[in-house]
Every structure is written in structure tokens, then in C-alpha cells.
Amino acid sequence: MKRRRLAGALTLVAIITVFGLAVPPSVTALEKVQVCLPEIGVSFGDWELARKLGYFEKEGLSVDLILMSGAICERALLAGSVDFSLAPNIFQAFMHSPRGKIILQTSTSLPHKLIANPQIKSIQELKGKKIATSGFGGLTEVLTREILQSGGLNPEKDTTFIVVGTPDARYAALTSGAVQASLLASR
């Protein structure tokens, strides 16, 4: 009788063990996070490498990298459509509507340069010329106005701003001669 009970108990333990091994371990759902990228550049590589190496998963995150123009990144972050933005013009958005926090700053300056057609040799030579910008009130326009003012021009009277959009489109407008200058990021 004792042997039967012992055999039954061992059989029960064996069955529980086998079924226990057959049941997959509990899977914890990863927290979904959306990060807006304004361009595929150096910063994109860091994020994509971290994702491919599984760093985010180790922290319990499923990170979606979404490519949008900087102005759209700004609006998406303020509207809550994305969780983070790597667009540099988000600083300006926070000045007008502080709905978030800056949690990481990876550089002490912006990588933008005012690029002009080869025949333009100084800021003064931009007088009467067309300058491409991403949008009115955006980072490229604000910085371009500051550069023009520091060079002695009145951006309101001396130049014409043309909204062209993305860095690729601004570069194309510049190389085609449609505009004579544009603020572009150089890495």
C-alpha cells in the first residue's frame, strides 16, 4: 500500500514536471515606445544599432523609429502621437507649449550651416536672393534669420524666404538654382 502511494505520488510529480516544462515561461509584454527621427543621419545609426542589439528589449521596450520631417515630429510629440523626438526644433516648441521634458542632449551645438550657391561669397551677397526654409516659424527659418542679421542684413526686407520642406528638398532647390541659400545640417 505504501509503495502504491509512493508510486502514485512520484507519477503525479513526474506529470506535473513534464507539463511544467511544456508550458512556456510567462512572457512580459514590452512597452511600446515611438521615437520620431527628422532624418536618417548619425543619430539614427545609434538608435537602430541599439534596437538590433536588443538593448531596448532588455529594458522592456519595443521601440519604433519613425521618420518624419522636423516640423511634423514637433507636432506629433506635442499632440502625444509619439513618445520622443530627436528633432532639434523641439526646443522652440517647448518654449511655446511646455508639455514635455528634455531628457537627453547629445551635443552642445546644432550641426546646421547656411549653404549658398558657389557664386555667393558673403552673407551680404544674399541681399535680394531667395532662401529655402523648412517652414515658417521653424528652426531653419529662425536660425537663418539670426545668421542674416548677424551678417548685417534685414531678413524681412533684404531676402525672400521660400518654404521648401525637408533637407533633401531644400538641397535640391539649392543645387537646381531655384533658391540661392538654405540652412542644412552637416555632419
Side-chain angles (χ1 to χ4, degrees):
M1 187 79 147
K2 285 184 181 179
R3 283 187 174 174
R4 258 186 167 179
R5 277 195 209 162
L6 184 59
L10 288 176
T11 303
L12 183 59
V13 168
I15 290 170
I16 291 172
T17 302
V18 168
F19 281 113
L21 293 175
V23 175
S26 63
V27 177
T28 306
L30 298 176
E31 182 180 349
K32 193 168 184 76
V33 176
Q34 294 182 319
V35 178
C36 184
L37 298 165
E39 64 182 352
I40 296 180
V42 175
S43 62
F44 172 79
D46 297 342
W47 285 80
E48 185 61 19
L49 183 62
R51 184 170 63 169
K52 285 187 177 186
L53 293 176
Y55 293 144
F56 297 126
E57 285 182 3
K58 288 177 186 172
E59 296 299 323
L61 301 172
S62 170
V63 177
D64 289 332
L65 302 175
I66 304 168
L67 185 63
M68 295 185 221
S69 75
I72 302 298
C73 282
E74 172 187 315
R75 289 175 183 90
L77 182 66
L78 292 174
S81 299
V82 296
D83 301 298
F84 298 95
S85 173
L86 299 182
N89 55 335
I90 201 64
F91 297 111
Q92 184 181 2
F94 283 163
M95 288 182 347
H96 300 295
S97 177
R99 294 186 182 174
K101 286 185 178 179
I102 297 168
I103 60 170
L104 173 68
Q105 175 61 34
T106 59
S107 65
T108 57
S109 64
L110 293 172
H112 295 77
K113 308 280 187 267
L114 183 61
I115 309 295
N117 287 340
Q119 65 270 22
I120 306 289
K121 303 295 182 199
S122 70
I123 291 177
Q124 285 295 320
E125 291 182 29
L126 289 172
K127 189 171 187 171
K129 304 293 191 249
K130 292 184 253 177
I131 301 174
T133 184
S134 61
F136 293 121
L139 180 70
T140 60
E141 184 201 12
V142 171
L143 290 179
T144 301
R145 287 181 184 282
E146 288 179 13
I147 291 168
L148 294 172
Q149 287 172 344
S150 71
L153 292 180
N154 180 341
E156 310 297 327
K157 296 178 182 178
D158 297 334
T159 60
T160 302
F161 283 85
I162 308 292
V163 174
V164 177
T166 65
D168 293 342
R170 293 195 312 272
Y171 180 73
L174 180 62
T175 57
S176 73
V179 298
Q180 287 71 52
S182 182
L183 193 73
L184 297 167
S186 59
R187 303 217 186 252

